[in-house]
Structure formats: structure tokens, C-alpha cells
Amino acid sequence: MHPNAQWLCALLALCAAPALAQPLYPAKTVRIIVPYPPGGGNDIVGRAYAEELTKRMGQSFIVDNRGGASTIIGAELAAKAPPDGYTLMISSGTTFAIVPNLKSKVPYDPIRDYDPVSLLATEPYLLVVHPSVPVHNVKELIALAKAKPGQLTYASASIGSGGHLSGELFDLMTGTRMRHIPYKGSGPAITDLAGGHVSMMYSTISSVHQLVVNGRLRAIAVTSPKRSPAAPDVPTVAESGVPDYDTTQWNAMVAPRGAPQNVIERLSSELAAVVKSPEVRQRFTTLGLDPETSTPQQLGDHMKRQFARYGKLIKALGIKED
């Protein structure tokens, strides 16, 4: 072999060595940003999947809670992280569809700044009323609200929250007019509802389940298109006379834009395997959640639809928060 050819072969071998030696993903701890404080539904979803991914993928997946500013702090942090697959984010429709439409300016773009990985779970709101309100189903609620316009009240965690928009959409689709009472968090709202200070609320199932069991609140309907496994006997708003009504909360995993495609595909595949576990499904159902994964493309399409849907609703209602 010609000396120059030998030198060229040696050089090519040296260049190829690092690529061949690259470890399979993940080669180190993966951080999952959750833009909520510990203890809430989004945090529970994040920790459940982090635990299962740690078992399956041989490296630690650690939840990093970065709550505050209506999820903006954590969302911006995730958007600006290196797109190497070692920083991910698990968040909800609040981050991806509601907040960017509600506020005049946010430091991230919910569509352009992230690569979708997979849907993780869906969770309907449970429409609950205080027992003093003389209704047992959606049709009776509509009739009472029309007979007493502006007199029935509904609590929510804040202006622009999922519970608030659920109530506004209900009014819009049924021609009713009920008065919104915003609180600073769902805890105080539920306390006042249980005390009879407000008429009703759209709440997560896990937050009010025990109050319903104890008879301190009455469950009327769930806001998802299909019944929830966590409350199979409770009808949907849609099947109760308001076709196409849907304000399902959802959780999803994304990566900073530009993450390696093989990493996205590996994570999506592993998450799809996790959700098949009977133990995981039971754990989620107990909390009022329905575990549900998707392909990256399906999640991307879902995010775009939800962003457009809530943008249209918020604009129609004239809600703006700065």
C-alpha cells in the first residue's frame, strides 16, 4: 500500500473512532422540567413517568420543579436548554395552549420552541355542585341557569384557568349566564364550594373525589368526550345534551427544538411501553388520570389544534391577562 494511502486510512480511522465510541442515549442523568410546584397533577404525571423511564433506560430521569408565573418560568427554561436530549419538559395544555393565548407576550413559542415527544395523560374536569343547588344533571343545570341568569356562581383556581374556561365555554354553548368567582388556587376554591359559598366548580377528579364520596359535593358530569375510567358512572357534558363540549386537560412531554431525532423516537417508544403496564394504568386511574401516549407527529398536531381552539375561545370571550 502506498504510504500516503496508509496515512489516509489511519486518519479516517481516528475520525471515525469518536462516532463509533459514542454511548447510546441516555449516557447520563436526564432532567425533566415540570413548570409546576411539587404535589399537583402535572408533577404526579412527571414523577410517575420519570420513575418508569429510569427503570427501563438504565439512567436516572430526575424531575426538576420550576413552578411560577403561570408555568412561564419552567417553560422558558426548557425552551432555552441545550437540545441534546438531556433536558425535557412535561407540562399541560395550560403551558402550550392557554397561557400563550391569554397573555399578550410570553418568552417562548409553544409550537416553534419545542419538539413534541409524546402525549402522556388526559384528565377531564369534574363538574360538581354544592348539594344545596337543586340539580342532578346537566339538563337541570341549564334549565336552572336560564331561569336565574347571573345568580348561579362557579369557582375556579384563577382567571384563565382550565376551570374558568370550562365554565365560559359551557355558557357559550348552552346560552346560559353564570357568574365566575376566581380564587388564588384550587384549594381555597374547593373549600368555599364545600362550604356552600359558591354554586359549583369544574375541578380535577382527584381534588374533589373524597368530597363527592362523603356527600359534601354532587358530581354532575365530566368535561371529556368520553367517560373517565376514574368516574365511569358520571356522564359527559356532551352526552348530557351539549354535543362537542370538551375541555379535557392533558399532559405531554417535549424537548427543546432541535433535539436528535433518534432520541425523540426512543423516548416516544419507551413511553408507549410504559403506558401498557397495568400497574401504571391503575395508579393513574386512581388519581383521575387516563394514561395515553402518542407519536411525536400526533402530539404536534394535537398541540396546534389545542392552541388554535383556545385562542379562538379566549378571543371570543375577550379575556386578556397581562
Side-chain angles (χ1 to χ4, degrees), residues 18-37:
L20 292 172
Q22 270 192 336
L24 291 174
Y25 175 86
K28 59 181 181 179
T29 297
V30 179
R31 175 175 65 152
I32 301 178
I33 294 173
V34 170
Y36 290 88

Side-chain angles (χ1 to χ4, degrees), residues 6-30:
Q6 288 180 322
W7 177 83
L8 182 60
C9 288
L11 182 62
L12 288 172
L14 281 171
C15 292
L20 292 172
Q22 270 192 336
L24 291 174
Y25 175 86
K28 59 181 181 179
T29 297
V30 179

Side-chain angles (χ1 to χ4, degrees), residues 98-303:
I98 296 177
V99 169
N101 280 304
L102 192 64
K103 295 184 177 292
S104 56
K105 188 177 181 181
V106 293
Y108 66 93
D109 185 292
I111 307 302
R112 292 197 299 266
D113 287 348
Y114 307 100
D115 282 330
V117 177
S118 177
L119 192 67
L120 299 177
T122 57
E123 181 179 18
Y125 294 102
L126 185 65
L127 172 53
V128 288
V129 300
H130 188 267
S132 64
V133 180
V135 299
H136 293 80
N137 55 55
V138 167
K139 288 183 178 179
E140 290 178 358
L141 175 60
I142 293 170
L144 182 63
K146 286 185 174 180
K148 298 182 176 183
Q151 293 185 42
L152 293 179
T153 56
Y154 67 96
S156 84
S158 65
I159 292 174
S161 64
H164 174 206
L165 295 179
S166 294
E168 294 285 3
L169 183 63
F170 187 91
D171 275 356
L172 200 63
M173 294 181 72
T174 60
T176 54
R177 183 162 56 86
M178 292 179 261
R179 191 155 49 93
H180 174 229
I181 310 294
Y183 287 78
K184 292 183 177 180
S186 58
I190 292 169
T191 298
D192 265 15
L193 174 61
H197 302 294
V198 286
S199 308
M200 62 189 145
M201 182 176 178
Y202 298 82
S203 169
T204 57
I205 294 175
S206 56
S207 298
V208 294
H209 173 73
Q210 201 54 49
L211 290 169
V212 172
V213 170
N214 294 340
R216 295 184 64 190
L217 296 177
R218 182 186 302 130
I220 298 295
V222 291
T223 64
S224 48
K226 60 181 181 179
R227 295 194 183 198
S228 169
D233 297 330
V234 180
T236 67
V237 174
E239 73 179 273
S240 302
V242 191
D244 300 323
Y245 182 93
D246 173 21
T247 58
T248 310
Q249 181 61 280
W250 49 276
N251 305 96
M253 177 182 285
V254 297
R257 176 67 74 185
Q261 190 58 36
N262 66 312
V263 169
I264 298 287
E265 290 172 359
R266 173 86 193 278
L267 286 167
S268 182
S269 175
E270 293 291 349
L271 291 167
V274 166
V275 86
K276 292 176 183 176
S277 162
E279 293 79 13
V280 171
R281 300 195 72 84
Q282 180 58 42
R283 179 177 176 183
F284 274 51
T285 299
T286 302
L287 296 167
L289 298 160
D290 186 8
E292 182 180 347
T293 56
S294 69
T295 65
Q297 178 65 47
Q298 288 169 335
L299 173 59
D301 292 343
H302 177 75
M303 289 168 67

